[in-house]
Amino acid sequence: MENTKEVAFYIFCKPLLHFFISQIERSSRVERKRRDSFGMFDGYDSCSEDTSSSSSSDESEEEVAPLPSSLPIIKNNGQIYTYPDGKSGMATCEMCGMVGVRDAFYSKTKRFCSVSCSRSYSSNSKKASILARLQGKPPTKKAKVLQKQPLVAKLAAYAQYQATLQNQAKTKAAVPVEGFSWGSYINSNSFTAAPVTCFKHAPMGTCWGDIAEGVRVEVPNTDCSLPTKVFWIAGIVKLAGYNALLRYEGFENDSSLDFWCNICGSDIHPVGWCATSGKPLVPPQTVQHKYTNWKAFLVKRLTGAKTLPPDFSQKVSESMQYPFKTSMRVEVVDKTHLCRTRVAVVESVIGGRLRLVYEESEDKTDDFWCHMYSPLIHHIGWSRSIGHRFKRSDIAKKQDGHFDAPPHLFMKVKEVDAAGEWFKEGMKLEAIDPLNLSAICVATVRKVLADGYLMIGIDGSEAADGSDWFCYHATSPSIFPVGFCEINMIELTPPRGYAKLPFKWFDYLRETDSIAAPVKLFNKEVPNHGFHVGMKLEAVDLMEPRLVCVATVTRIIHRLLRIHFDGWEDEYDQWVDCESPDLYPVGWCQLTGYQLQPPAPQSSRDSQSSSSKQKKKAKSQQYKGQKKMTSLQLKEELLDGEEYSFLQGTSDQESNGSASYYIKQEP
């Protein structure tokens, strides 16, 4: 009976298997013939898609059969072939440029097609290595076996190749912003952008490498009149986040055809990609007359130059894979009552940002946006485990298809030792107001939870029922010891209605019969973040967290950044930690397909300024809404030296190292 099933399965699959075998074997037997060893056209007149040519190889000549329409077909000088280089399941030899199934490559790293390539790679000079990749030299005899893989490997490579194309089409869809261009904005104002390495949570943030000015890449050549898509080599002139200002080789100091592009885009490739992929390199029409031997020119220009890693596009793709999936259930802060959490369901994931819909929302309009590494979201059961308030859902059971997000997906907090001296209820401190992120306020520890979590209340503006208390972890960079603002020359917002001005901590502690939280309990780590005043970036407006806006770093206090939204008044600025997952490099929105909010036009700025002067908005308990229109009204004075002494810190600290900037309390 089993033999009968096997025969039936073979008869059923035989036509399909025969089809795949015929396409893959035929394409592998056709030798690719280029006009010269660089894959370059001799001139524009030599380009013809109708020119026929014969393939000369050890095997007999065979006509190329039509390939499936879903597989890209490239016609170059009459030759028809596929280019699976760089796709899932495929690999390119870093020595000779041979393309083949990754599993058949040599060594665990799969960097070389054979032992000979692995050994010769380290001994060859930089010039020989560049020339080998640029020319796309044929593989050695040992590497020819890569063209004759088992059927399973061929089918797997073909399937993975098509799946990768579909995924790239979805993940790399740019979202244009009408009337705004980062390139023009930076060029016209000579701005600088924060480097990608400042954003460890962003794609490529931890593996950006040595990508900098001077790196060479292969990009589409737009300065030509050919009917086919051709490429040329360009160098990075300026880098702004993911965006790079490129200049074609041969233009030297001529910037007339410089152009901006996203370096992680699908049309940006390392030098040598055209040779291994069978793409033609054609010099731009404007400078075509400058050199008669472009091959020699390229060898001279590229010797010693850097290019993207061969697996750069693969790394980009991998860094844009996110563990959170739609229909996952999480606990997230209740935007109408900050003191509690609610169950929400992941509705969509864009660039690691989650659109969460509260579970009780029938029309799915009651939502909340945050990053997957945000401290505002937790696994199901987190609130009960630490003693945090939680709003029970009216839904008796999970809806079909919904499932709890695994706990390991959430950002881990540092472990703390609360056994000895620890925070106590009633202790005073300074904290960023979650309802007005431009202000650092006088605050009080209202409740001590488990695992190092604290409920914090803003003095003078707390609700009677504590519904606006906010949960911070003891290691949070958003809470500070008493005196932090004074020593770093930041305006401290006193309690609302406090009449004894200017505000002095010593008097306030005595009047309220309270004590300051010990300095040693706060987070004193200052990472080497790399930010500088004036750098541009894309930042979430945390008062309207679905918006990502054009922004600027205007102040740096150790690890604390003052973020200004371009085109808006300073009163809308927000204090954000340097490692916040709500900050992104320039070009992040374009890369991930998220909508970028451009700087506000002059008309909007005038109307906002006018309305804010006429009417000040009262503090809202909603963690989502229009930007706050409250401004700091009081200016603090230095504390008396007789009562307190300080370890002098530096305001606008840009040396990204640790520093003593906390108050020193004297008995």
Side-chain angles (χ1 to χ4, degrees):
M1 186 66 179
E2 292 182 357
N3 294 335
T4 304
K5 290 183 178 179
E6 291 178 358
V7 172
F9 176 78
Y10 175 76
I11 295 174
F12 176 77
C13 295
K14 183 178 180 181
L16 179 61
L17 298 177
H18 178 72
F19 171 77
F20 282 117
I21 293 173
S22 62
Q23 306 311 319
I24 298 173
E25 293 294 346
R26 286 178 178 178
S27 61
S28 66
R29 285 197 293 265
V30 177
E31 183 179 333
R32 303 174 183 179
K33 182 179 180 181
R34 299 182 179 87
R35 187 165 294 275
D36 63 18
S37 58
F38 280 79
M40 293 173 51
F41 284 110
D42 290 335
Y44 286 86
D45 295 336
S46 64
C47 178
S48 174
E49 291 188 316
D50 299 327
T51 305
S52 61
S53 63
S54 59
S55 59
S56 56
S57 63
D58 296 335
E59 302 178 20
S60 60
E61 296 183 357
E62 187 170 350
E63 183 181 353
V64 180
L67 295 175
S69 58
S70 59
L71 188 64
I73 300 176
I74 310 303
K75 292 185 178 181
N76 179 19
N77 196 27
Q79 294 293 335
I80 303 178
Y81 49 88
T82 62
Y83 56 101
D85 177 46
K87 305 301 186 290
S88 298
M90 307 302 290
T92 303
C93 179
E94 294 185 17
M95 179 59 202
C96 68
M98 173 62 198
V99 183
V101 178
R102 184 180 183 84
D103 292 340
F105 267 48
Y106 175 71
S107 78
K108 293 182 179 180
T109 59
K110 310 300 182 185
R111 295 175 57 194
F112 306 102
C113 65
S114 62
V115 178
S116 60
C117 280
S118 176
R119 292 177 178 174
S120 60
Y121 180 81
S122 58
S123 61
N124 278 15
S125 64
K126 290 184 178 180
K127 179 176 180 180
S129 179
I130 292 174
L131 190 59
R133 291 191 60 205
L134 187 63
Q135 291 178 334
K137 289 183 177 179
T140 61
K141 291 183 178 180
K142 292 183 179 180
K144 286 185 179 180
V145 298
L146 298 177
Q147 299 293 341
K148 298 181 179 180
Q149 294 303 314
L151 176 60
V152 175
K154 294 177 181 178
L155 295 178
Y158 180 78
Q160 290 179 5
Y161 172 63
Q162 288 186 313
T164 303
L165 287 183
Q166 295 175 359
N167 291 336
Q168 287 180 345
K170 294 179 181 179
T171 59
K172 295 189 177 181
V175 177
V177 179
E178 184 176 357
F180 178 77
S181 166
W182 263 120
S184 301
Y185 191 57
I186 290 176
N187 274 349
S188 59
N189 299 280
S190 299
F191 292 138
T192 58
V196 175
T197 52
C198 291
F199 310 88
K200 305 303 182 186
H201 58 281
M204 301 298 292
T206 57
C207 54
W208 190 246
D210 297 329
I211 300 176
E213 296 177 6
V215 169
R216 306 306 205 281
V217 293
E218 293 181 352
V219 295
N221 178 7
T222 58
D223 181 29
C224 70
S225 57
L226 298 175
T228 57
K229 186 176 182 179
V230 295
F231 291 76
W232 189 240
I233 296 174
I236 298 178
V237 177
K238 186 174 183 178
L239 204 58
Y242 293 117
N243 293 347
L245 181 63
L246 300 180
R247 181 174 301 169
Y248 289 122
E249 286 294 339
F251 277 79
E252 299 176 351
N253 296 324
D254 182 2
S255 61
S256 59
L257 288 184
D258 288 2
F259 60 98
W260 286 89
C261 69
N262 195 303
I263 205 71
C264 295
S266 57
D267 270 340
I268 312 300
H269 308 282
V271 172
W273 177 85
C274 284
T276 58
S277 302
K279 289 287 191 176
L281 280 175
V282 180
Q285 209 165 4
T286 304
V287 295
Q288 185 193 7
H289 63 280
K290 292 182 64 174
Y291 301 96
T292 57
N293 190 344
W294 281 98
K295 180 194 299 185
F297 169 79
L298 289 180
V299 171
K300 181 178 179 181
R301 290 285 296 173
L302 297 178
T303 299
K306 293 183 178 180
T307 187
L308 300 177
D311 60 346
F312 183 76
S313 61
Q314 181 181 347
K315 287 183 178 179
V316 172
S317 179
E318 291 174 352
S319 66
M320 294 179 65
Q321 302 300 316
Y322 308 105
F324 280 86
K325 308 299 179 184
T326 57
S327 300
M328 281 185 173
R329 300 170 74 243
V330 301
E331 289 185 8
V332 64
V333 65
D334 185 344
K335 64 184 181 183
T336 59
H337 294 82
L338 303 185
C339 66
R340 69 187 184 189
T341 57
R342 295 171 61 184
V343 174
V345 179
V346 178
E347 181 68 20
S348 60
V349 183
I350 305 178
R353 292 190 60 76
L354 312 177
R355 178 178 179 260
L356 303 172
V357 176
Y358 290 113
E359 197 170 46
E360 294 176 312
S361 176
E362 295 181 358
D363 57 359
K364 297 186 178 182
T365 58
D366 190 9
D367 62 357
F368 186 81
W369 281 90
C370 68
H371 194 271
M372 62 182 183
Y373 294 146
S374 170
L376 301 177
I377 60 171
H378 310 276
H379 62 86
I380 298 296
W382 172 84
S383 298
R384 183 174 59 180
S385 67
I386 70 163
H388 194 282
R389 290 189 190 179
F390 176 76
K391 180 184 178 182
R392 293 186 178 277
S393 174
D394 294 337
I395 301 176
K397 60 180 181 179
K398 300 179 188 177
Q399 297 182 16
D400 293 341
H402 294 176
F403 58 101
D404 297 349
H408 71 270
L409 299 185
F410 298 86
M411 196 66 177
K412 300 295 186 295
V413 295
K414 296 179 181 178
E415 294 184 1
V416 294
D417 182 13
E421 189 175 11
W422 192 240
F423 290 97
K424 293 182 175 60
E425 291 184 16
M427 283 185 171
K428 299 295 182 180
L429 68 162
E430 299 174 3
I432 297 176
D433 184 353
L435 294 173
N436 182 11
L437 295 168
S438 66
I440 299 180
C441 307
V442 174
T444 304
V445 177
R446 292 304 180 188
K447 189 176 182 181
V448 179
L449 308 179
D451 296 339
Y453 286 96
L454 311 169
M455 296 303 296
I456 305 295
I458 303 299
D459 286 21
S461 60
E462 297 178 64
D465 59 355
S467 59
D468 58 354
W469 294 353
F470 195 76
C471 185
Y472 279 125
H473 193 263
T475 61
S476 170
S478 297
I479 58 174
F480 317 96
V482 165
F484 173 83
C485 286
E486 192 275 342
I487 202 170
N488 289 288
M489 292 181 286
I490 301 174
E491 192 168 11
L492 177 67
T493 303
R496 182 181 299 174
Y498 186 73
K500 192 175 180 179
L501 301 175
F503 178 85
K504 295 181 181 292
W505 262 116
F506 184 84
D507 294 340
Y508 186 69
L509 292 175
R510 183 173 54 192
E511 292 168 2
T512 57
D513 192 25
S514 54
I515 61 173
V519 176
K520 65 181 182 180
L521 300 182
F522 293 85
N523 182 8
K524 304 179 186 64
E525 295 182 5
V526 181
N528 185 21
H529 51 69
F531 286 102
H532 296 283
V533 171
M535 283 183 169
K536 296 293 179 182
L537 69 163
E538 298 176 3
V540 175
D541 175 6
L542 294 172
M543 300 310 298
E544 182 66 36
R546 65 183 177 85
L547 302 180
V548 177
C549 311
V550 173
T552 308
V553 178
T554 56
R555 285 195 71 182
I556 301 177
I557 308 297
H558 306 287
R559 67 178 300 147
L560 197 61
L561 308 181
R562 181 82 170 180
I563 301 299
H564 173 76
F565 297 102
D566 290 18
W568 294 89
E569 300 294 333
D570 292 346
E571 63 190 65
Y572 302 118
D573 290 1
Q574 297 178 2
W575 287 109
V576 181
D577 182 64
C578 64
E579 294 182 341
S580 169
D582 296 308
L583 304 178
Y584 308 102
V586 167
W588 177 87
C589 282
Q590 180 188 11
L591 176 64
T592 60
Y594 206 95
Q595 181 68 56
L596 176 67
Q597 302 300 315
Q602 184 64 39
S603 58
S604 298
R605 294 200 298 267
D606 294 341
S607 62
Q608 290 291 340
S609 177
S610 174
S611 62
S612 64
K613 291 179 181 178
Q614 294 176 4
K615 182 179 180 180
K616 298 286 185 179
K617 285 188 65 178
K619 175 176 278 192
S620 167
Q621 292 186 17
Q622 181 127 340
Y623 198 66
K624 172 182 178 293
Q626 292 185 348
K627 294 183 177 180
K628 299 282 293 183
M629 293 193 179
T630 58
S631 61
L632 301 179
Q633 302 174 0
L634 302 171
K635 186 175 183 180
E636 78 169 357
E637 295 182 358
L638 298 178
L639 300 179
D640 293 339
E642 297 177 357
E643 299 167 342
Y644 281 74
S645 63
F646 299 90
L647 296 177
Q648 293 301 321
T650 304
S651 182
D652 296 337
Q653 183 74 19
E654 292 191 48
S655 62
N656 301 319
S658 59
S660 299
Y661 58 96
Y662 292 115
I663 188 172
K664 179 181 179 181
Q665 301 178 6
E666 298 290 347

